Amino acid sequence: LMRFILVGPPGAGKGTQAVHLATHFGIPHISTGDIFRANLKEGTPLGLKAKEYMDAGNLVPDEVTNEMVKDRLTHDDVANGFLLDGYPRNVVQAGVLRAYLAEKSTPLDAVLELSVEDSEIIARLSGRRTCKECSASYHIQFNKPQVDGKCDKCGGELIQREDDKEAVIKHRLDVYAEQTAPIVSFYREEGLLISMAATGDVDEITQRAISALKTAVA
Ligand code: AMP
C-alpha cells in the first residue's frame, strides 16, 4: 500500500518514472496531464475547456482540475494506493488534496521530488516526442523509438506536444517556479518530502526512487 506524489519541473522525467514506479508498486498511475490529453482527443467538454490553457503552458483552473482528480480518486483501483503525477501543481490544489484524503483517512505516504537543471530540461523537452495514441514518451536523441516516428508499445504516431515547443517550454518553467515550486516547501513542512536528482540512467533513477520510497514508508 502506497500513496504518493511525484513533483518536479516539466521534463524531470515524472511521466517515465511514474510508469515504472506504478508497475513496481502495483498501484494506478494517475497523470492529470494524460487525463486532460485523453479528454482532448475524445473531444469532451472537459478536454475542450483544458485545451487553451494546456497549449499556452498555463495551469487549467483549479476548480476543474480538483473535481477531476477527486472523481478519479473514487475509482475502486485506488484501494491499494496511487501515484499522482502532475497533481497537485499549486498550493491551493495541495490543500484541497490534503483535505480530501484526510476526510477519507487515507493520507499521503510520501512526496518524491525529481530535480533537474534548467538547461537540461530545455534539451529534454525540446527533443521529446509523445505517442498520439498511448502517451508514451520518447526523445529524438536520448530515448529513440525502434522505428522513427512510431511508438514501440502501440505503433501509434509520435508527435511533438504543442506545449513542448520552445516558446511554451520557457513559460512552463516560469509557471513551475512561481506556482508549483512552493508545494515543495509545503510538503517539506509536512515531513513528507523526499528529494532526489533525476539525472543519469532511467533505470538507475527508478531503483533509487524505489529504495527511497520504501524507506519512507517503512
Ligand atoms: P503534464 O503532462 O503534466 O506536463 O501536463 C500538461 C498540461 O496539463 C499542463 O501544462 C497544464 O496545462 C495541464 N495540467 C496538468 N496537470 C495540471 C494540474 N494539476 N493543474 C492544472 N493544470 C494541469
Side-chain angles (χ1 to χ4, degrees), residues 79-102:
N80 289 324
F82 54 79
L83 190 181
L84 279 173
D85 159 16
Y87 180 91
R89 248 183 167 94
N90 63 30
V91 172
V92 172
Q93 293 179 8
V96 167
L97 179 67
R98 178 172 57 184
Y100 177 83
L101 294 176

Side-chain angles (χ1 to χ4, degrees), residues 139-157:
H139 191 281
I140 53 173
Q141 258 174 294
F142 312 135
N143 179 20
K144 288 188 184 175
Q146 269 153 15
V147 180
D148 266 0
K150 270 205 164 176
C151 180
D152 292 349
K153 298 190 177 88
C154 76
E157 184 193 349

Side-chain angles (χ1 to χ4, degrees), residues 124-140:
R124 287 187 185 186
L125 289 178
S126 53
R128 176 158 78 178
R129 297 294 181 270
T130 305
C131 176
K132 222 175 143 179
E133 303 303 326
C134 78
S135 297
S137 145
Y138 298 87
H139 191 281
I140 53 173

Side-chain angles (χ1 to χ4, degrees), residues 31-34 36-37 53-54 57-60 65 85-89 93 128 161 163 172:
S31 156
T32 43
D34 285 352
F36 284 133
R37 280 184 291 276
Y53 299 98
M54 296 176 76
N58 288 318
L59 297 187
V60 176
T65 309
D85 159 16
Y87 180 91
R89 248 183 167 94
Q93 293 179 8
R128 176 158 78 178
R161 278 167 48 171
D163 59 348
R172 287 166 69 205

Side-chain angles (χ1 to χ4, degrees), residues 160-174:
Q160 183 171 42
R161 278 167 48 171
E162 216 37 61
D163 59 348
D164 279 345
K165 299 190 171 155
E166 185 137 356
V168 185
I169 292 174
K170 296 226 166 70
H171 181 63
R172 287 166 69 205
L173 289 174
D174 289 342

